[in-house]
Structures are given as structure tokens and as C-alpha cells.
Amino acid sequence: RAIQTSAVCLKNRAARVRVGKGDRPVTYEHALRPHDIGHRKGWLSQHTSNLCGEEGAADRVVEDVFVRRFIFGTFHGCLANELIIKRRGNLLLICALMLQKLPPQKFYFLVGYTEALLSHFYKCPVKMEVQTLEQPVVYKYL
């Protein structure tokens, strides 16, 4: 038996958008590479659990995943970009860009429904800051 070796390939291809003919629209979140987080683009979840000596970082991650899935299911097909979740003291603040696919009455009802249900689940005030767009914002074409 022999040992097979190969040259080291130091290419990271995960979570990158492949460059094409220049006809594919890309948002700002998808245009920048994952290693640019913290340099050119910000974090999608802002809280103080990652500081030295703080506890509960894993709990915050699980809560963030639940909130993202809940809002994705509630506003199905209406999210224009990723959610930004901020924690300020006891307040959970959710910032979102939504597409105008629903009538305003239904949209306001779903925002209130989401705030009430998440406030009941997490036993803290939840506030949604929502901006609506007619079309998704295109950062550049790849």
C-alpha cells in the first residue's frame, strides 16, 4: 500500500456567489464574501453575549434562528434582505426590509401579530422596524 498526497488547495468556496456573465442581480449581503463580516459589512445579530465573561451566547443563537424562521414563515415571500436582530437591554429589536406584496392592512396586522407573539414567547418587549420596497435593491450584477 502507498500513501497518496496532493497539493494543498487553500480556496474557500462556501457562501460565495459565482461570477457569471454579469446578468445576475446580487444584494449587498450576498455580494460581499463571508470573511468581510466585521470589516465591510456588519453582523446580522447584535448583542453583548459574546463579550468576555458573559453567559448565554448559545441561547441567543437559538433564539435568533427561531425568530428568523418565524418571520420568514409569517412574511413568506416578502423579505427583501436578511433580518437584523438587535438586543438593547430587555428590548428585542428586529429590523427588516420587506417587499410590497401584501395589502397594507394585512401587513400591519402581521407586524402586530409578530410583535405580540414574540413578546409572549420571550417575556420581553419586541419591536419591529420595517421598511417596504417595491422591488429588491440590486447592489451589483455578477
Side-chain angles (χ1 to χ4, degrees), residues 2-138:
I3 297 175
Q4 294 182 349
T5 60
S6 61
V8 177
C9 185
L10 297 174
K11 293 184 179 179
N12 293 332
R13 295 187 179 194
R16 294 183 187 216
V17 178
R18 306 218 189 272
V19 177
K21 298 176 183 176
D23 57 348
R24 189 174 2 166
V26 179
T27 62
Y28 184 76
E29 291 292 328
H30 294 115
L32 296 177
R33 295 172 296 218
H35 65 270
D36 290 333
I37 295 175
H39 299 284
R40 294 186 195 156
K41 74 179 189 180
W43 300 97
L44 295 176
S45 179
Q46 298 175 359
H47 53 86
T48 58
S49 294
N50 292 333
L51 297 177
C52 183
E54 292 291 324
E55 298 177 1
D59 297 334
R60 302 293 92 74
V61 171
V62 172
E63 289 176 4
D64 287 352
V65 169
F66 176 77
V67 167
R68 289 179 197 283
R69 286 187 179 184
F70 179 80
I71 292 179
F72 180 76
T74 303
F75 296 96
H76 188 69
C78 292
L79 288 176
N81 211 344
E82 296 289 329
L83 294 174
I84 297 176
I85 300 173
K86 301 177 184 178
R87 287 184 171 81
R88 296 181 183 161
N90 195 28
L91 176 70
L92 182 66
L93 186 65
I94 302 167
C95 304
L97 290 174
M98 304 273 186
L99 298 176
Q100 296 174 353
K101 291 188 175 181
L102 299 173
Q105 296 86 4
K106 187 171 184 180
F107 190 73
Y108 286 128
F109 170 76
L110 288 176
V111 168
Y113 166 79
T114 302
E115 288 178 353
L117 211 56
L118 289 177
S119 294
H120 181 72
F121 285 158
Y122 291 121
K123 308 288 191 276
C124 69
V126 175
K127 174 117 172 97
M128 283 190 70
E129 290 184 358
V130 178
Q131 292 182 356
T132 58
L133 306 169
E134 293 180 8
Q135 299 174 353
V137 178
V138 177

